[in-house]
Amino acid sequence: MRFFGHKSSNDSGDSLIHRLKTYRIVRNLLIGFIIIAIFNILFSSLFYTPKMLRLSDERREIELRSQILLGKIRASQNAIDLIRHRDNNVYRPLFSSDTFSIEGIYQPYNERKYAWTVDEIGGRELRTTWKELDQLARSLYLSSVSLDELQQLSKDKEKFSTAIPAIWPIDRTLLRGRIGAFGYRMHPTLHRWKMHDGVDLGGRIGDPIYATGDGVVEEVVLSRARRSYGTYIVVNHGFGYKTRYAHLNKVHVSRGDSVMRGALIGDLGNTGRSSGPHLHYEVIYRGRVVNPINYFDKDMSAEAYRSLMGQIQDENYETDEE
């Protein structure tokens, strides 16, 4: 009995020793793993792995490209801002046009539009670049539409400059007598004040009559009756302007014809209620007669203008102008 009891005690001791060895091995392995993990963490913190170096290089490259792109976008935006400044402060005042804008054009997009940048490398720079690129696109569109409108205005301005009645309707060297004044005057036969809607320019029958601006012949009346304007032409110049050439002897245009400034349209005459050969000339703006003298040679000197005014008096060539 002692023999077996002693043997069991030895076996128990051997088993304990074995377990202790196994524990030490496991413990050492765990400590080794922990040390390796700590070492990796410290190494990663202090030193870059090849993958980290590659990712870092890619990030720096993306940031650099983003900065270059952002600089180009901002330079383009500055150029567009300069165009807008000229648009609002130079070109539009020249055409008497209001500042052009599109409602909501400067309203930024919802932030959800840029949510995709969060998971991208260099997401913050990418987000800023996209925002400024969108702003550039909106500014470019606004300037494009505005310049399209200015281009149309410039075309109309050119047409306006040639359409406005701005020359004499007759050759000044052929003028005879004084110029019948525009405005209220004492009528020679009615003996009362009556509005004279134009100016009367005396001459000889057959003297050439010229269109004073580009336009379309709106009306031609051929009449030898001793009443009203007799034979006359009305030219529509657009932009609210019309001109009338009355008491003509002959016309050289038809209704619907396009005429240019300086074109021969008729001959001076003595038709209608006229007391002598002359041209009755009217300028009509937006349905109201205005003084034609204000449209003769707009660039004439002050001395020439005073001389012209000296030729004007209450000369009556019409006997009962309607």
mmCIF file of all heavy atoms in Angstrom, residues 72-105:
data_model
loop_
_atom_site.group_PDB
_atom_site.id
_atom_site.type_symbol
_atom_site.label_atom_id
_atom_site.label_comp_id
_atom_site.label_asym_id
_atom_site.label_seq_id
_atom_site.Cartn_x
_atom_site.Cartn_y
_atom_site.Cartn_z
ATOM 1 N N LYS A 72 -6.502 77.988 -59.960
ATOM 2 C CA LYS A 72 -7.009 78.290 -61.304
ATOM 3 C C LYS A 72 -8.481 78.703 -61.257
ATOM 4 O O LYS A 72 -8.900 79.612 -61.975
ATOM 5 C CB LYS A 72 -6.825 77.077 -62.215
ATOM 6 C CG LYS A 72 -5.370 76.772 -62.540
ATOM 7 C CD LYS A 72 -5.249 75.580 -63.476
ATOM 8 C CE LYS A 72 -3.790 75.325 -63.848
ATOM 9 N NZ LYS A 72 -3.645 74.162 -64.770
ATOM 10 N N ILE A 73 -9.244 78.021 -60.418
ATOM 11 C CA ILE A 73 -10.668 78.366 -60.278
ATOM 12 C C ILE A 73 -10.815 79.786 -59.754
ATOM 13 O O ILE A 73 -11.620 80.577 -60.265
ATOM 14 C CB ILE A 73 -11.373 77.362 -59.347
ATOM 15 C CG1 ILE A 73 -11.442 75.986 -60.002
ATOM 16 C CG2 ILE A 73 -12.772 77.864 -58.983
ATOM 17 C CD1 ILE A 73 -11.967 74.893 -59.083
ATOM 18 N N ARG A 74 -10.029 80.140 -58.754
ATOM 19 C CA ARG A 74 -10.128 81.486 -58.169
ATOM 20 C C ARG A 74 -9.653 82.547 -59.150
ATOM 21 O O ARG A 74 -10.203 83.655 -59.188
ATOM 22 C CB ARG A 74 -9.332 81.533 -56.871
ATOM 23 C CG ARG A 74 -10.011 80.749 -55.749
ATOM 24 C CD ARG A 74 -9.172 80.617 -54.509
ATOM 25 N NE ARG A 74 -9.906 79.912 -53.467
ATOM 26 C CZ ARG A 74 -9.378 79.495 -52.326
ATOM 27 N NH1 ARG A 74 -8.086 79.725 -52.072
ATOM 28 N NH2 ARG A 74 -10.114 78.864 -51.427
ATOM 29 N N ALA A 75 -8.634 82.234 -59.955
ATOM 30 C CA ALA A 75 -8.182 83.183 -60.974
ATOM 31 C C ALA A 75 -9.281 83.408 -62.012
ATOM 32 O O ALA A 75 -9.534 84.542 -62.443
ATOM 33 C CB ALA A 75 -6.912 82.671 -61.642
ATOM 34 N N SER A 76 -9.952 82.314 -62.392
ATOM 35 C CA SER A 76 -11.063 82.429 -63.344
ATOM 36 C C SER A 76 -12.212 83.215 -62.741
ATOM 37 O O SER A 76 -12.846 84.032 -63.417
ATOM 38 C CB SER A 76 -11.532 81.037 -63.767
ATOM 39 O OG SER A 76 -10.497 80.316 -64.411
ATOM 40 N N GLN A 77 -12.474 82.989 -61.458
ATOM 41 C CA GLN A 77 -13.542 83.720 -60.786
ATOM 42 C C GLN A 77 -13.231 85.213 -60.740
ATOM 43 O O GLN A 77 -14.118 86.052 -60.945
ATOM 44 C CB GLN A 77 -13.741 83.174 -59.372
ATOM 45 C CG GLN A 77 -14.891 83.803 -58.610
ATOM 46 C CD GLN A 77 -16.244 83.467 -59.209
ATOM 47 O OE1 GLN A 77 -16.607 82.309 -59.323
ATOM 48 N NE2 GLN A 77 -16.986 84.496 -59.606
ATOM 49 N N ASN A 78 -11.974 85.555 -60.488
ATOM 50 C CA ASN A 78 -11.578 86.970 -60.481
ATOM 51 C C ASN A 78 -11.773 87.606 -61.852
ATOM 52 O O ASN A 78 -12.205 88.764 -61.961
ATOM 53 C CB ASN A 78 -10.120 87.106 -60.039
ATOM 54 C CG ASN A 78 -9.924 86.785 -58.569
ATOM 55 O OD1 ASN A 78 -10.858 86.882 -57.774
ATOM 56 N ND2 ASN A 78 -8.711 86.406 -58.206
ATOM 57 N N ALA A 79 -11.461 86.838 -62.911
ATOM 58 C CA ALA A 79 -11.645 87.355 -64.268
ATOM 59 C C ALA A 79 -13.122 87.594 -64.562
ATOM 60 O O ALA A 79 -13.503 88.614 -65.151
ATOM 61 C CB ALA A 79 -11.055 86.382 -65.284
ATOM 62 N N ILE A 80 -13.969 86.666 -64.125
ATOM 63 C CA ILE A 80 -15.413 86.821 -64.336
ATOM 64 C C ILE A 80 -15.948 87.984 -63.513
ATOM 65 O O ILE A 80 -16.806 88.749 -63.980
ATOM 66 C CB ILE A 80 -16.144 85.509 -63.985
ATOM 67 C CG1 ILE A 80 -15.775 84.417 -64.991
ATOM 68 C CG2 ILE A 80 -17.655 85.721 -63.961
ATOM 69 C CD1 ILE A 80 -16.377 83.075 -64.686
ATOM 70 N N ASP A 81 -15.446 88.138 -62.291
ATOM 71 C CA ASP A 81 -15.872 89.277 -61.459
ATOM 72 C C ASP A 81 -15.525 90.603 -62.128
ATOM 73 O O ASP A 81 -16.286 91.571 -62.046
ATOM 74 C CB ASP A 81 -15.213 89.192 -60.079
ATOM 75 C CG ASP A 81 -15.773 88.055 -59.241
ATOM 76 O OD1 ASP A 81 -16.867 87.550 -59.574
ATOM 77 O OD2 ASP A 81 -15.113 87.663 -58.258
ATOM 78 N N LEU A 82 -14.366 90.658 -62.792
ATOM 79 C CA LEU A 82 -13.975 91.868 -63.507
ATOM 80 C C LEU A 82 -14.918 92.137 -64.677
ATOM 81 O O LEU A 82 -15.321 93.283 -64.922
ATOM 82 C CB LEU A 82 -12.536 91.731 -64.009
ATOM 83 C CG LEU A 82 -11.972 92.921 -64.798
ATOM 84 C CD1 LEU A 82 -12.005 94.192 -63.950
ATOM 85 C CD2 LEU A 82 -10.557 92.619 -65.273
ATOM 86 N N ILE A 83 -15.293 91.077 -65.379
ATOM 87 C CA ILE A 83 -16.255 91.220 -66.481
ATOM 88 C C ILE A 83 -17.590 91.716 -65.955
ATOM 89 O O ILE A 83 -18.226 92.599 -66.545
ATOM 90 C CB ILE A 83 -16.425 89.873 -67.215
ATOM 91 C CG1 ILE A 83 -15.135 89.502 -67.951
ATOM 92 C CG2 ILE A 83 -17.603 89.934 -68.191
ATOM 93 C CD1 ILE A 83 -15.148 88.121 -68.562
ATOM 94 N N ARG A 84 -18.026 91.169 -64.827
ATOM 95 C CA ARG A 84 -19.287 91.590 -64.229
ATOM 96 C C ARG A 84 -19.232 93.057 -63.808
ATOM 97 O O ARG A 84 -20.212 93.799 -63.948
ATOM 98 C CB ARG A 84 -19.615 90.714 -63.015
ATOM 99 C CG ARG A 84 -20.023 89.297 -63.336
ATOM 100 C CD ARG A 84 -21.394 89.254 -63.973
ATOM 101 N NE ARG A 84 -22.421 89.738 -63.051
ATOM 102 C CZ ARG A 84 -23.621 90.157 -63.429
ATOM 103 N NH1 ARG A 84 -23.933 90.190 -64.714
ATOM 104 N NH2 ARG A 84 -24.506 90.559 -62.538
ATOM 105 N N HIS A 85 -18.069 93.478 -63.298
ATOM 106 C CA HIS A 85 -17.919 94.883 -62.900
ATOM 107 C C HIS A 85 -18.067 95.793 -64.119
ATOM 108 O O HIS A 85 -18.768 96.813 -64.054
ATOM 109 C CB HIS A 85 -16.558 95.080 -62.244
ATOM 110 C CG HIS A 85 -16.266 96.502 -61.881
ATOM 111 N ND1 HIS A 85 -16.813 97.115 -60.769
ATOM 112 C CD2 HIS A 85 -15.494 97.442 -62.497
ATOM 113 C CE1 HIS A 85 -16.400 98.369 -60.725
ATOM 114 N NE2 HIS A 85 -15.600 98.586 -61.757
ATOM 115 N N ARG A 86 -17.409 95.438 -65.199
ATOM 116 C CA ARG A 86 -17.541 96.237 -66.421
ATOM 117 C C ARG A 86 -18.970 96.190 -66.947
ATOM 118 O O ARG A 86 -19.495 97.192 -67.437
ATOM 119 C CB ARG A 86 -16.580 95.706 -67.481
ATOM 120 C CG ARG A 86 -15.112 95.939 -67.149
ATOM 121 C CD ARG A 86 -14.234 95.279 -68.187
ATOM 122 N NE ARG A 86 -12.821 95.512 -67.917
ATOM 123 C CZ ARG A 86 -11.836 94.910 -68.568
ATOM 124 N NH1 ARG A 86 -12.111 94.039 -69.528
ATOM 125 N NH2 ARG A 86 -10.576 95.166 -68.267
ATOM 126 N N ASP A 87 -19.563 95.009 -66.850
ATOM 127 C CA ASP A 87 -20.950 94.842 -67.298
ATOM 128 C C ASP A 87 -21.868 95.826 -66.574
ATOM 129 O O ASP A 87 -22.638 96.564 -67.200
ATOM 130 C CB ASP A 87 -21.369 93.395 -67.014
ATOM 131 C CG ASP A 87 -22.752 93.060 -67.539
ATOM 132 O OD1 ASP A 87 -23.549 93.989 -67.770
ATOM 133 O OD2 ASP A 87 -23.056 91.872 -67.698
ATOM 134 N N ASN A 88 -21.766 95.847 -65.233
ATOM 135 C CA ASN A 88 -22.690 96.648 -64.427
ATOM 136 C C ASN A 88 -22.351 98.126 -64.389
ATOM 137 O O ASN A 88 -23.250 98.963 -64.226
ATOM 138 C CB ASN A 88 -22.722 96.103 -62.991
ATOM 139 C CG ASN A 88 -23.348 94.727 -62.910
ATOM 140 O OD1 ASN A 88 -24.215 94.386 -63.695
ATOM 141 N ND2 ASN A 88 -22.898 93.924 -61.951
ATOM 142 N N ASN A 89 -21.065 98.460 -64.533
ATOM 143 C CA ASN A 89 -20.658 99.854 -64.334
ATOM 144 C C ASN A 89 -20.227 100.585 -65.597
ATOM 145 O O ASN A 89 -20.033 101.808 -65.561
ATOM 146 C CB ASN A 89 -19.505 99.903 -63.316
ATOM 147 C CG ASN A 89 -19.922 99.408 -61.956
ATOM 148 O OD1 ASN A 89 -20.572 100.108 -61.196
ATOM 149 N ND2 ASN A 89 -19.554 98.171 -61.634
ATOM 150 N N VAL A 90 -20.066 99.849 -66.700
ATOM 151 C CA VAL A 90 -19.647 100.495 -67.941
ATOM 152 C C VAL A 90 -20.652 100.239 -69.064
ATOM 153 O O VAL A 90 -21.273 101.166 -69.586
ATOM 154 C CB VAL A 90 -18.246 100.006 -68.371
ATOM 155 C CG1 VAL A 90 -17.833 100.677 -69.679
ATOM 156 C CG2 VAL A 90 -17.230 100.289 -67.281
ATOM 157 N N TYR A 91 -20.823 98.959 -69.409
ATOM 158 C CA TYR A 91 -21.617 98.640 -70.585
ATOM 159 C C TYR A 91 -23.100 98.926 -70.392
ATOM 160 O O TYR A 91 -23.736 99.544 -71.250
ATOM 161 C CB TYR A 91 -21.412 97.169 -70.974
ATOM 162 C CG TYR A 91 -19.969 96.791 -71.171
ATOM 163 C CD1 TYR A 91 -19.449 95.616 -70.638
ATOM 164 C CD2 TYR A 91 -19.108 97.628 -71.878
ATOM 165 C CE1 TYR A 91 -18.116 95.266 -70.823
ATOM 166 C CE2 TYR A 91 -17.778 97.287 -72.064
ATOM 167 C CZ TYR A 91 -17.295 96.107 -71.533
ATOM 168 O OH TYR A 91 -15.982 95.774 -71.710
ATOM 169 N N ARG A 92 -23.658 98.491 -69.271
ATOM 170 C CA ARG A 92 -25.100 98.672 -69.089
ATOM 171 C C ARG A 92 -25.499 100.135 -68.926
ATOM 172 O O ARG A 92 -26.515 100.543 -69.478
ATOM 173 C CB ARG A 92 -25.597 97.811 -67.922
ATOM 174 C CG ARG A 92 -25.573 96.349 -68.279
ATOM 175 C CD ARG A 92 -26.261 95.425 -67.314
ATOM 176 N NE ARG A 92 -26.305 94.097 -67.924
ATOM 177 C CZ ARG A 92 -27.248 93.676 -68.734
ATOM 178 N NH1 ARG A 92 -28.258 94.460 -69.014
ATOM 179 N NH2 ARG A 92 -27.209 92.473 -69.270
ATOM 180 N N PRO A 93 -24.726 100.947 -68.197
ATOM 181 C CA PRO A 93 -25.063 102.377 -68.202
ATOM 182 C C PRO A 93 -24.989 102.989 -69.601
ATOM 183 O O PRO A 93 -25.763 103.878 -69.930
ATOM 184 C CB PRO A 93 -24.006 102.981 -67.276
ATOM 185 C CG PRO A 93 -23.645 101.874 -66.345
ATOM 186 C CD PRO A 93 -23.682 100.641 -67.185
ATOM 187 N N LEU A 94 -24.065 102.482 -70.426
ATOM 188 C CA LEU A 94 -23.950 102.986 -71.787
ATOM 189 C C LEU A 94 -25.222 102.731 -72.577
ATOM 190 O O LEU A 94 -25.656 103.564 -73.377
ATOM 191 C CB LEU A 94 -22.759 102.321 -72.484
ATOM 192 C CG LEU A 94 -22.473 102.727 -73.932
ATOM 193 C CD1 LEU A 94 -22.102 104.201 -74.003
ATOM 194 C CD2 LEU A 94 -21.368 101.863 -74.511
ATOM 195 N N PHE A 95 -25.852 101.575 -72.314
ATOM 196 C CA PHE A 95 -27.084 101.227 -73.020
ATOM 197 C C PHE A 95 -28.332 101.565 -72.210
ATOM 198 O O PHE A 95 -29.437 101.180 -72.585
ATOM 199 C CB PHE A 95 -27.089 99.727 -73.342
ATOM 200 C CG PHE A 95 -26.008 99.315 -74.294
ATOM 201 C CD1 PHE A 95 -25.047 98.397 -73.921
ATOM 202 C CD2 PHE A 95 -25.943 99.856 -75.570
ATOM 203 C CE1 PHE A 95 -24.048 98.024 -74.797
ATOM 204 C CE2 PHE A 95 -24.953 99.482 -76.447
ATOM 205 C CZ PHE A 95 -23.996 98.561 -76.066
ATOM 206 N N SER A 96 -28.129 102.277 -71.095
ATOM 207 C CA SER A 96 -29.255 102.655 -70.223
ATOM 208 C C SER A 96 -30.053 101.421 -69.804
ATOM 209 O O SER A 96 -31.282 101.410 -69.811
ATOM 210 C CB SER A 96 -30.175 103.654 -70.945
ATOM 211 O OG SER A 96 -29.473 104.819 -71.307
ATOM 212 N N SER A 97 -29.332 100.388 -69.433
ATOM 213 C CA SER A 97 -29.958 99.121 -69.061
ATOM 214 C C SER A 97 -29.702 98.825 -67.588
ATOM 215 O O SER A 97 -28.630 99.128 -67.054
ATOM 216 C CB SER A 97 -29.389 97.989 -69.923
ATOM 217 O OG SER A 97 -29.903 96.742 -69.525
ATOM 218 N N ASP A 98 -30.698 98.208 -66.942
ATOM 219 C CA ASP A 98 -30.549 97.854 -65.533
ATOM 220 C C ASP A 98 -29.539 96.724 -65.361
ATOM 221 O O ASP A 98 -29.254 95.965 -66.297
ATOM 222 C CB ASP A 98 -31.896 97.413 -64.953
ATOM 223 C CG ASP A 98 -32.871 98.566 -64.849
ATOM 224 O OD1 ASP A 98 -32.409 99.713 -64.751
ATOM 225 O OD2 ASP A 98 -34.088 98.319 -64.888
ATOM 226 N N THR A 99 -29.017 96.623 -64.143
ATOM 227 C CA THR A 99 -28.105 95.523 -63.815
ATOM 228 C C THR A 99 -28.807 94.189 -64.031
ATOM 229 O O THR A 99 -29.945 93.999 -63.631
ATOM 230 C CB THR A 99 -27.648 95.632 -62.353
ATOM 231 O OG1 THR A 99 -26.956 96.869 -62.187
ATOM 232 C CG2 THR A 99 -26.732 94.484 -61.986
ATOM 233 N N PHE A 100 -28.100 93.271 -64.688
ATOM 234 C CA PHE A 100 -28.688 91.967 -65.005
ATOM 235 C C PHE A 100 -28.412 90.972 -63.886
ATOM 236 O O PHE A 100 -27.308 90.918 -63.352
ATOM 237 C CB PHE A 100 -28.100 91.435 -66.313
ATOM 238 C CG PHE A 100 -28.659 90.105 -66.717
ATOM 239 C CD1 PHE A 100 -29.873 90.023 -67.373
ATOM 240 C CD2 PHE A 100 -27.971 88.940 -66.432
ATOM 241 C CE1 PHE A 100 -30.390 88.802 -67.744
ATOM 242 C CE2 PHE A 100 -28.478 87.711 -66.801
ATOM 243 C CZ PHE A 100 -29.687 87.648 -67.465
ATOM 244 N N SER A 101 -29.417 90.195 -63.534
ATOM 245 C CA SER A 101 -29.242 89.155 -62.525
ATOM 246 C C SER A 101 -30.248 88.037 -62.780
ATOM 247 O O SER A 101 -31.231 88.224 -63.496
ATOM 248 C CB SER A 101 -29.424 89.711 -61.109
ATOM 249 O OG SER A 101 -29.112 88.717 -60.146
ATOM 250 N N ILE A 102 -29.965 86.881 -62.217
ATOM 251 C CA ILE A 102 -30.870 85.737 -62.288
ATOM 252 C C ILE A 102 -31.204 85.345 -60.862
ATOM 253 O O ILE A 102 -30.298 85.118 -60.052
ATOM 254 C CB ILE A 102 -30.222 84.561 -63.030
ATOM 255 C CG1 ILE A 102 -29.897 84.955 -64.476
ATOM 256 C CG2 ILE A 102 -31.144 83.344 -63.005
ATOM 257 C CD1 ILE A 102 -29.162 83.882 -65.254
ATOM 258 N N GLU A 103 -32.473 85.262 -60.556
ATOM 259 C CA GLU A 103 -32.889 84.985 -59.186
ATOM 260 C C GLU A 103 -32.321 83.648 -58.703
ATOM 261 O O GLU A 103 -32.413 82.627 -59.385
ATOM 262 C CB GLU A 103 -34.420 84.951 -59.105
ATOM 263 C CG GLU A 103 -34.944 84.784 -57.698
ATOM 264 C CD GLU A 103 -36.457 84.825 -57.624
ATOM 265 O OE1 GLU A 103 -37.093 85.069 -58.689
ATOM 266 O OE2 GLU A 103 -36.993 84.613 -56.529
ATOM 267 N N GLY A 104 -31.692 83.677 -57.534
ATOM 268 C CA GLY A 104 -31.162 82.461 -56.921
ATOM 269 C C GLY A 104 -29.818 82.005 -57.464
ATOM 270 O O GLY A 104 -29.327 80.948 -57.060
ATOM 271 N N ILE A 105 -29.200 82.802 -58.347
ATOM 272 C CA ILE A 105 -27.957 82.361 -58.980
ATOM 273 C C ILE A 105 -26.823 82.213 -57.977
ATOM 274 O O ILE A 105 -25.922 81.398 -58.157
ATOM 275 C CB ILE A 105 -27.559 83.339 -60.106
ATOM 276 C CG1 ILE A 105 -26.450 82.733 -60.984
ATOM 277 C CG2 ILE A 105 -27.126 84.675 -59.539
ATOM 278 C CD1 ILE A 105 -26.883 81.569 -61.809
#
